[in-house]
């Protein structure tokens, strides 16, 4: 037994000699160029470049190491061939940048321990020090708490109200999450949007449960007294929830006009329901095209054959790239499939001729497909406008909705049978949700100095007889005046003039709404002024602001806040309203990158930390594959079909 013990001791002698030194930390940067080992006679340092060994004894060892480095030919050669290695290495900066990379791209926290990642970073700079997953997790959690305090301070420092959006999502783990986002215009007149929570939401998902859940999140941030509106999709559970939430918020801090405008229905969700209804009647030619695209995309051999067909078409086609197969739950993907296929018409025809398994798409069918594409294009453009998170969208609502109404109304005399078949059920769905326009979102058009009441009259005149136009215009004007009087009575309008007080952290979320395509026929010079009957009419009678690329409506109201303080306060609240819940979908994209089949065991707490911190640091900047991530996302708390 004693012999065996001695053999074990002897076998560990090499490991003992080569043991890495774990003693007192050496602070001098020179030690970054050495590997420290322990031998039987003490600590030794081995040069990383020439493998020269020397004793490493305290400050004496440091001096010897520095002298060797200065005259080491191998080190000099390394620096000459690797200029980046001569850059001063700061470990704190390295940890921060690594953490930001993980947060932005949704990389796993364990990435810091991946061997090839470490090798890459050491190649770029040999001074890099290793980071453990526990260190990076602790750092990310610390940054989360630090930025949460910053966001909380900003929410409490603003003099305007906060607009919310929320939605549910089911991860690949079949676990439901709930996203709550805040939108507000700060004291410096910049539009801000942040994901406040991305919280695990266990069942049930009924109205009462959603209400209690949202209430707990608002209490966590202590912002229930500052809420102005909430944007939701059309699920029945949301309708029940919002009634309770409005009453609860109103009891904490009175809402304007008793919360009459508290609930905002997601415009993109309604538009999706309208178009999906039309796609149920889609022409057989589109179904035939879908089968062709699916056939081409089903194997590498067919993709290669299609690429050859493109080349053989020569100058007859300018199409490059690949076809896109649509996803039935996303109508805009059907539009993109059709649009791409029309560009590749000649190549598709040639491919079908060479493949005996496919039915030919005849010229009449291509014409029908083109008509459907033209019909869907305005819906696609308006969806893009509605989906903005980096600029105000409430001032675009009414013009877009009336344009859709006119498009559907005119389609009953469209020469294409396919378009007429699609338009009829779409009109019925439109009438269900948008027969009455949202008043609070209509106010956004009045607050846009390029359009105001004259544009309102012009839009309605395209659809209705003069008597009806007058009634609708007067209804919106009267409601606008009533809200103004409520603000004038209950608000300290002078608070809006605090725009010189800058919030912590800049915002880049202020890009202008471009409405030229939607309002191309509007001519402000043909409009007359209104007789001043209320306090808002002097503003409405101001000369129109000439539309131009880069016009910033928030900068306009910042400049007008002294002349029209109450209207400016209204503008800060109304222009902050998001007309869609797209911001929540952006959170789902981040969640989809973080939670996948290979990382399904990530704790819900850590998922929320990574998603929300990304929003606080980088806003809603999308990744290249966000659409792909969203296409496989399944909503947890809504069912479009059941709740139509």
């Amino acid at each position: 037994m004693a012999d065996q013990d001695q053999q074990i001791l002897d076998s560990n002698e090499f490991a003992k000699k080569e043991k890495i030194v774990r003693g007192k930390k050496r602070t001098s940067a020179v030690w970054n160029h050495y590997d420290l080992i322990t031998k039987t006679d003490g600590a030794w340092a081995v040069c990383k470049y020439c493998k020269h060994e020397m004793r490493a004894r305290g400050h004496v060892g440091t001096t010897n190491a520095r002298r060797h480095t200065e005259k080491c030919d191998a080190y000099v050669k390394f620096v000459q061939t690797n200029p980046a290695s001569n850059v001063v290495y700061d470990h704190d900066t390295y940890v921060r940048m690594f953490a930001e990379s993980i947060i932005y791209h949704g990389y796993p926290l364990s990435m810091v321990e991946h061997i090839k990642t470490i090798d890459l970073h050491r190649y770029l700079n040999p001074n890099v020090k290793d980071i453990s997953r526990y260190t990076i997790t602790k750092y990310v959690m610390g940054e989360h708490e630090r930025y949460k305090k910053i966001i909380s301070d900003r929410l409490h420092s603003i003099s305007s109200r906060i607009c919310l959006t929320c939605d549910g999502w089911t991860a690949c783990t079949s676990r439901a999450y709930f996203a709550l986002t805040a939108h507000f215009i700060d004291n410096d007149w910049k539009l801000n949007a942040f994901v406040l929570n991305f919280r695990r939401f266990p069942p049930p998902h009924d109205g009462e449960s959603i209400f209690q859940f949202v209430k707990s999140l608002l209490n966590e941030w202590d912002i229930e007294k500052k809420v102005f509106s909430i944007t939701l999709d059309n699920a029945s559970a949301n309708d029940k929830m919002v009634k309770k939430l409005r009453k609860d918020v109103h009891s904490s801090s009175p809402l304007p006009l008793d919360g009459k405008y508290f609930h905002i229905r997601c415009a993109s969700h309604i538009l999706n329901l309208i178009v999906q209804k039309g796609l149920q009647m889609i022409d057989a030619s589109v179904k035939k095209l879908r089968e062709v695209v699916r056939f081409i995309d089903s194997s590498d051999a067919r993709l290669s054959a299609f690429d050859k067909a493109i080349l053989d078409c020569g100058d007859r086609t300018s199409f490059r790239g690949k076809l896109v197969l649509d996803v039935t739950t996303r109508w805009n993907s059907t539009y993109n499939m059709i649009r791409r296929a029309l560009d590749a018409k000649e190549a598709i025809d040639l491919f079908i001729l060479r493949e005996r398994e496919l039915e030919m798409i005849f010229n009449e069918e291509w014409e029908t497909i083109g008509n459907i594409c033209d019909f869907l294009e305005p819906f696609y453009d308006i969806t893009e406008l509605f989906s903005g998170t980096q600029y105000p969208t409430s001032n675009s609502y009414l013009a877009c909705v009336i344009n859709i109404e006119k498009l559907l109304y005119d389609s009953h005399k469209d020469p294409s049978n396919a378009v007429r078949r699609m338009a009829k059920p779409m009109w019925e769905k439109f009438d269900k949700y948008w027969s009455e326009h949202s008043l609070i979102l209509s106010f956004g058009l009045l607050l846009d100095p390029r359009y105001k009441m004259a544009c309102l009259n012009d839009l309605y005149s395209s659809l209705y007889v003069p008597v009806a136009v007058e009634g609708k215009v007067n209804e919106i004007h009267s409601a606008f005046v009533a809200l103004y009087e409520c603000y004038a009575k209950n608000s300290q309008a002078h608070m809006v003039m605090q725009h010189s007080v800058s919030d912590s952290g800049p915002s880049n979320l202020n890009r202008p709404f471009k409405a030229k395509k939607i309002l191309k026929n509007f001519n402000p010079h043909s409009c007359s002024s209104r007789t001043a009957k209320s306090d808002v009419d002097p503003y409405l009678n101001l000369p129109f602001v000439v539309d131009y690329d880069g016009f910033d409506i928030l900068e306009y109201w910042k400049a007008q806040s002294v002349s029209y303080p109450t209207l400016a306060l209204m503008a800060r609240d109304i222009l902050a309203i998001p007309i869609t819940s797209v911001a929540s979908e952006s959170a789902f994209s981040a969640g989809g990158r973080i939670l996948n089949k290979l990382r399904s065991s990530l704790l819900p707490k850590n998922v929320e930390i990574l998603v929300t911190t990304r929003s606080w640091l980088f806003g809603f900047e999308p990744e290249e594959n966000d659409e792909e991530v969203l296409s496989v996302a399944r909503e947890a708390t809504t069912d479009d079909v059941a709740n139509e």
Side-chain angles (χ1 to χ4, degrees):
M1 189 70 179
D3 292 341
Q4 289 179 348
D5 291 343
Q6 186 60 46
Q7 288 176 359
I8 292 173
L9 289 173
D10 291 343
S11 66
N12 285 340
E13 184 64 27
F14 179 77
K16 182 179 178 182
K17 285 182 180 179
E18 299 301 324
K19 184 179 180 181
I20 301 297
V21 174
R22 301 290 185 188
K24 183 178 178 181
K25 184 178 179 180
R26 298 175 182 269
T27 58
S28 174
V30 73
W31 293 113
N32 293 326
H33 304 293
Y34 293 86
D35 291 323
L36 300 176
I37 61 175
T38 299
K39 295 186 179 182
T40 54
D41 55 348
W44 285 75
V46 181
C47 176
K48 292 181 178 180
Y49 311 101
C50 69
K51 305 305 178 184
H52 173 74
E53 295 184 3
M54 65 186 74
R55 289 188 179 277
R57 297 176 296 178
H59 69 280
V60 176
T62 300
T63 302
N64 289 338
R66 185 178 294 109
R67 288 173 178 170
H68 172 76
T69 302
E70 290 173 353
K71 64 181 182 180
C72 177
D73 293 336
Y75 172 69
V76 172
K77 184 177 180 180
F78 177 84
V79 170
Q80 291 174 344
T81 55
N82 298 273
S85 65
N86 208 25
V87 176
V88 176
Y89 168 75
D90 182 80
H91 188 64
D92 291 339
T93 301
Y94 175 66
V95 173
R96 175 181 60 78
M97 294 183 70
F98 211 147
E100 289 180 355
S101 176
I102 288 173
I103 292 168
Y104 183 86
H105 295 289
Y107 295 145
L109 293 165
S110 60
M111 182 183 181
V112 295
E113 295 179 347
H114 292 177
I115 293 174
K116 289 304 176 183
T117 300
I118 294 172
D119 288 347
L120 171 64
H121 291 183
R122 283 179 175 170
Y123 170 77
L124 296 173
N125 194 321
N127 301 329
V128 165
K129 298 178 182 177
D130 294 349
I131 311 171
S132 70
R133 74 177 70 186
Y134 305 105
T135 298
I136 203 69
T137 301
K138 183 178 179 181
Y139 180 87
V140 170
M141 293 178 71
E143 288 295 278
H144 173 81
E145 291 302 319
R146 184 168 74 89
Y147 278 97
K148 186 173 183 179
K149 176 67 166 57
I150 292 173
I151 298 299
S152 179
D153 290 344
R154 295 189 72 183
L155 292 173
H156 288 93
S157 68
I158 58 174
S159 54
S160 60
R161 287 183 175 262
I162 299 168
C163 303
L164 304 173
T165 66
C166 62
D167 207 348
W169 174 71
T170 300
C172 63
T173 59
S174 298
R175 301 293 186 267
Y177 285 80
F178 195 88
L180 178 69
T181 65
H183 306 252
F184 61 92
I185 295 171
D186 62 27
N187 294 338
D188 206 29
W189 285 89
K190 302 298 181 184
L191 180 62
N192 294 261
F194 299 108
V195 179
L196 299 184
N197 296 97
F198 193 79
R199 190 69 52 88
R200 171 82 172 87
F201 184 29
H205 298 145
D206 54 62
E208 176 65 26
S209 300
I210 299 174
F211 162 67
Q212 294 295 341
F213 196 76
V214 174
K215 181 180 178 180
S216 68
L217 298 180
L218 295 180
N219 290 337
E220 178 182 315
W221 287 91
D222 191 26
I223 58 172
E224 62 274 10
K225 293 182 179 181
K226 297 183 74 69
V227 175
F228 180 68
S229 70
I230 185 166
T231 303
L232 303 162
D233 64 26
N234 293 286
S236 57
N238 285 338
D239 291 341
K240 296 174 183 177
M241 179 275 288
V242 80
K243 292 179 181 178
K244 291 178 173 289
L245 186 64
R246 176 170 49 217
K247 183 178 179 180
D248 187 73
V249 170
H250 187 60
S251 65
S252 298
S253 178
L255 290 164
L257 300 178
D258 298 326
K260 180 179 180 180
Y261 304 125
F262 180 72
H263 183 194
I264 309 296
R265 296 188 181 275
C266 175
S268 287
H269 184 255
I270 294 174
L271 190 56
N272 181 61
L273 293 177
I274 292 171
V275 180
Q276 287 287 5
K277 201 67 177 178
L279 290 181
Q280 292 176 8
M281 305 296 294
I282 202 161
D283 192 79
S285 58
V286 175
K287 296 178 182 178
K288 186 186 290 188
L289 174 64
R290 181 182 291 124
E291 291 306 313
V292 172
V293 175
R294 182 181 286 114
F295 181 86
I296 293 172
D297 197 49
S298 63
S299 74
D300 285 341
R302 290 167 181 170
L303 285 171
S304 297
F306 181 67
D307 289 340
K308 187 176 186 304
I310 295 173
L311 292 175
D312 291 345
C313 284
D315 295 337
R316 288 183 294 153
T317 181
S318 59
F319 179 81
R320 295 294 181 269
K322 67 175 186 177
L323 300 174
V324 179
L325 183 63
D326 64 338
V327 180
T328 55
T329 56
R330 289 186 166 268
W331 75 266
N332 52 341
S333 69
T334 302
Y335 168 75
N336 283 324
M337 178 189 73
I338 294 173
R339 185 176 61 177
R340 295 283 291 171
L342 286 169
D343 292 339
K345 175 184 177 299
E346 291 78 9
I348 291 175
D349 285 342
L350 181 57
F351 179 85
I352 293 174
L353 282 173
R354 294 172 175 177
E355 294 286 340
R356 299 180 182 276
E357 301 178 47
L358 295 172
E359 288 186 70
M360 192 70 187
I361 300 178
F362 299 103
N363 289 334
E364 296 80 3
E365 293 175 310
W366 277 117
E367 184 179 353
T368 298
I369 292 170
N371 291 333
I372 292 174
C373 185
D374 292 340
F375 177 64
L376 291 178
E377 183 178 6
F379 294 92
Y380 183 85
D381 292 337
I382 289 172
T383 298
E384 291 291 301
L385 283 175
F386 279 174
S387 302
T389 59
Q390 299 182 328
Y391 50 82
T393 53
S394 58
N395 57 324
S396 70
Y397 163 83
L398 189 62
C400 290
V401 171
I402 292 179
N403 269 268
I404 292 171
E405 186 174 4
K406 181 167 175 52
L407 178 67
L408 292 175
Y409 179 79
D410 291 343
S411 63
H412 75 278
K413 51 188 176 183
D414 193 281
S416 171
N417 291 330
V419 169
R420 293 198 300 273
R421 282 198 303 270
M422 290 177 62
K424 186 175 185 298
M426 291 171 68
W427 174 262
E428 294 171 354
K429 188 63 66 176
F430 178 95
D431 193 56
K432 177 180 179 179
Y433 289 108
W434 276 338
S435 59
E436 296 294 331
H437 302 144
S438 168
L439 286 174
I440 187 67
L441 297 180
S442 300
F443 298 161
L445 188 71
L446 303 188
L447 291 168
D448 193 321
R450 298 169 294 178
Y451 308 118
K452 298 188 286 188
M453 292 294 295
C455 183
L456 187 65
N457 187 85
D458 193 65
L459 286 168
Y460 279 124
S461 295
S462 67
L463 279 169
Y464 302 101
V465 297
V467 174
V469 171
E470 183 179 2
K472 289 183 175 293
V473 170
N474 287 339
E475 178 190 8
I476 293 176
H477 180 264
S478 299
F480 187 66
V481 171
L483 184 62
Y484 173 87
E485 292 173 347
C486 177
Y487 268 78
K489 179 180 178 181
N490 300 322
S491 302
Q492 297 179 1
H494 70 273
M495 293 178 67
V496 80
M497 290 184 284
Q498 296 176 353
H499 57 75
S500 59
V501 181
S502 178
D503 291 319
S504 57
S507 169
N508 63 345
L509 303 184
N510 190 24
R511 297 178 184 173
F513 159 61
K514 296 182 179 180
K516 287 184 176 179
K517 193 171 183 179
I518 302 299
L519 296 169
K520 58 185 177 181
N521 295 322
F522 174 60
N523 179 16
H525 301 293
S526 64
C527 306
S528 58
S529 300
R530 294 176 59 90
T531 303
K533 296 180 180 179
S534 70
D535 291 341
V536 303
D537 288 328
Y539 154 71
L540 295 175
N541 287 332
L542 286 176
F544 291 94
V545 172
V546 178
D547 193 9
Y548 59 90
D549 288 339
F551 170 77
D552 190 335
I553 190 172
L554 298 185
E555 283 296 322
Y556 171 85
W557 277 108
K558 180 179 180 179
Q560 294 293 328
S561 59
V562 175
S563 302
Y564 301 97
T566 302
L567 274 175
L569 192 59
M570 283 177 59
R572 280 181 67 184
D573 290 344
I574 293 172
L575 294 176
I577 297 174
I579 64 176
T580 72
S581 57
V582 166
S584 297
E585 287 203 1
S586 298
F588 302 155
S589 297
R593 289 193 300 272
I594 294 167
L595 267 180
N596 54 54
K597 292 180 180 180
L598 299 178
R599 301 171 62 194
S600 58
S601 61
L602 195 63
L603 293 175
K605 177 183 177 182
N606 290 340
V607 174
E608 180 172 36
I609 286 173
L610 291 169
V611 171
T612 55
T613 307
R614 185 189 192 277
S615 166
W616 304 341
L617 284 173
F618 307 110
F620 293 98
E621 192 173 333
E623 283 274 63
E624 288 184 2
N625 65 335
D626 274 358
E627 279 298 319
E628 182 180 340
V629 172
L630 275 174
S631 67
V632 297
R634 290 177 289 122
E635 294 191 9
T637 58
T638 62
D639 186 339
D640 292 351
V641 176
N643 293 294
E644 284 190 59

